[in-house]
Amino acid sequence: MRLARCATFLAAARPGHAFALPPWSQIRAAAGPPADRLFEARQRLFGGGAPEVIFWRDSAGWCPFCEITWLVLEEMEVPYEVKTVPLRRYMLEGETKDAEYTRLVGPEGVVPGVQFRAASGFGPAVQSVERICDELRRRYPERYPAGSDAVRARACEGKASV
């Protein structure tokens, strides 16, 4: 697709002629609609009918612990819904953390948090990358990234740092 877009622009440049760009309407038509951006998605279902987890992350997408959790959910293709909470340092004046989340985890509202689907709705939030990874491995062992036992022990089981 990207090659086709480049070809549109290159077709406008002919040897020996002045370079002229096509009008914006032609560029927009050739480019097509913008691709969905992962960080703006509110749900990732991977073909499933409904989210199996609610993934609470920071609203800016800067928290490295949220990013690790996010990557694991993506790699495992666990259908999830995203809810965001502002990081304390980046909260605007008068802004507060989501009341639903602080009821689940306490007034600090530390992220990441993952709620797993239960018989009636979603259960309590599991926090910290280590606990979240442990719970994901327990619930979805066939989807959990295998990788190296040594790296997994260091990265996901809190024994040391990678």
Side-chain angles (χ1 to χ4, degrees):
M1 182 57 124
R2 185 170 281 179
L3 185 60
R5 291 178 193 157
C6 290
T8 301
F9 291 111
L10 293 176
R14 287 174 257 133
H17 293 87
F19 183 75
L21 287 175
W24 278 111
S25 59
Q26 187 178 347
I27 294 170
R28 278 190 210 99
D36 292 335
R37 298 186 297 185
L38 181 60
F39 65 89
E40 292 178 332
R42 290 291 161 222
Q43 282 191 340
R44 294 277 289 163
L45 299 178
F46 304 105
E52 294 177 28
V53 302
I54 297 176
F55 170 42
W56 292 87
R57 68 168 178 83
D58 66 302
S59 52
W62 296 343
C63 169
F65 306 107
C66 294
E67 290 173 2
I68 292 167
T69 303
W70 200 353
L71 288 171
V72 171
L73 287 170
E74 284 289 316
E75 178 65 23
M76 293 177 68
E77 295 187 352
V78 174
Y80 64 91
E81 177 182 344
V82 175
K83 293 191 179 183
T84 59
V85 179
L87 294 174
R88 188 174 33 255
R89 286 238 188 258
Y90 301 102
M91 290 173 65
L92 301 172
E93 190 173 322
E95 190 175 18
T96 59
K97 297 213 178 219
D98 187 300
E100 179 184 0
Y101 190 61
T102 56
R103 274 193 304 276
L104 289 167
V105 301
E108 294 298 314
V110 177
V111 290
V114 172
Q115 291 177 271
F116 291 89
R117 181 174 295 285
S120 59
F122 288 90
V126 176
Q127 288 186 284
S128 95
V129 175
E130 293 84 4
R131 288 188 193 114
I132 292 168
C133 283
D134 285 345
E135 190 62 21
L136 285 167
R137 184 177 341 158
R138 187 183 73 72
R139 289 175 182 256
Y140 310 101
E142 70 287 348
R143 295 188 204 174
Y144 196 78
S148 158
D149 288 338
V151 171
R152 185 172 45 257
R154 293 180 70 195
C156 297
E157 296 172 7
K159 304 244 188 299
S161 176
V162 175

